[in-house]
Amino acid sequence: MQFSDKFHNIHWKNLITAVAIPLAAGGLSAWITMDGMKAFEAVNQPPLTPPMWLFPVVWSILFVLMGIASYLVVMQKGEDTKALTLYAVQLIFNFFWSIWFFNLGWYLFAFLWLVALWIMIIATTVAFYRISKPAAWLMLPYLVWVAFAGYLNLGVWWLNR
């Protein structure tokens, strides 16, 4: 099968929906935590904290990759509802982490929540791997970024306790 054949076999409605779901969750989370982001700029931050403009760029890319990964899983014959349930739960945990961290300033609680999220991302990635190896690979940047976010979260808690 050539590339043009694969391109025509894409179920565009499903792909757009799969990408829109994490982008909508991330967008709503960003909107809800907008004021908290301003407060974040005022707290002591650990070394290697990126500039503020980088966060929405990275998260947008990660949400698109997550959406594509979920599309690949959904499009497999005999889709695995366990993998998609894990995906949905980790997306919900991702959404609430921003509120705990940015809006409420519960830095230690948010870190523990983030550890749980990271474990769920690993579980989702493993479940995706069993269905679609490319889907699992698309989840790895997200896993790495959340690990980095854990460093930042713990650093903010430590420097501002």
Side-chain angles (χ1 to χ4, degrees):
M1 182 179 285
Q2 295 185 5
F3 176 76
S4 62
D5 293 336
K6 288 182 181 182
F7 185 77
H8 290 296
N9 288 333
I10 295 172
H11 294 92
W12 290 101
K13 183 179 176 183
N14 292 349
L15 177 59
I16 290 167
T17 301
V19 171
I21 290 169
L23 283 173
L28 180 60
S29 177
W31 181 72
I32 290 171
T33 60
M34 198 175 343
D35 292 337
M37 291 290 287
K38 293 173 188 164
F40 174 69
E41 292 181 53
V43 299
N44 295 322
Q45 298 174 5
L48 305 177
T49 300
M52 293 304 292
W53 64 264
L54 188 62
F55 289 100
V57 171
V58 170
W59 277 111
S60 295
I61 292 167
L62 295 174
F63 287 135
V64 168
L65 294 176
M66 273 192 272
I68 294 169
S70 70
Y71 165 79
L72 293 173
V73 169
V74 165
M75 296 311 295
Q76 292 299 311
K77 302 285 187 242
E79 67 186 58
D80 183 342
T81 56
K82 179 185 175 193
L84 294 173
T85 300
L86 284 168
Y87 174 75
V89 170
Q90 67 79 29
L91 195 57
I92 292 166
F93 262 68
N94 181 307
F95 176 86
F96 281 105
W97 174 84
S98 300
I99 294 168
W100 308 146
F101 185 85
F102 292 110
N103 283 21
L104 299 175
W106 295 353
Y107 300 134
L108 182 57
F109 178 78
F111 174 73
L112 298 173
W113 189 269
L114 196 67
V115 170
L117 169 60
W118 194 75
I119 291 167
M120 280 187 261
I121 296 167
I122 290 172
T124 302
T125 303
V126 168
F128 278 15
Y129 184 82
R130 293 181 181 135
I131 300 165
S132 167
K133 289 176 181 45
W137 285 105
L138 288 169
M139 293 293 286
L140 291 182
Y142 176 40
L143 185 65
V144 170
W145 183 257
V146 169
F148 180 65
Y151 155 76
L152 295 174
N153 186 157
L154 188 61
V156 167
W157 171 74
W158 183 260
L159 294 171
N160 294 282
R161 56 192 166 98

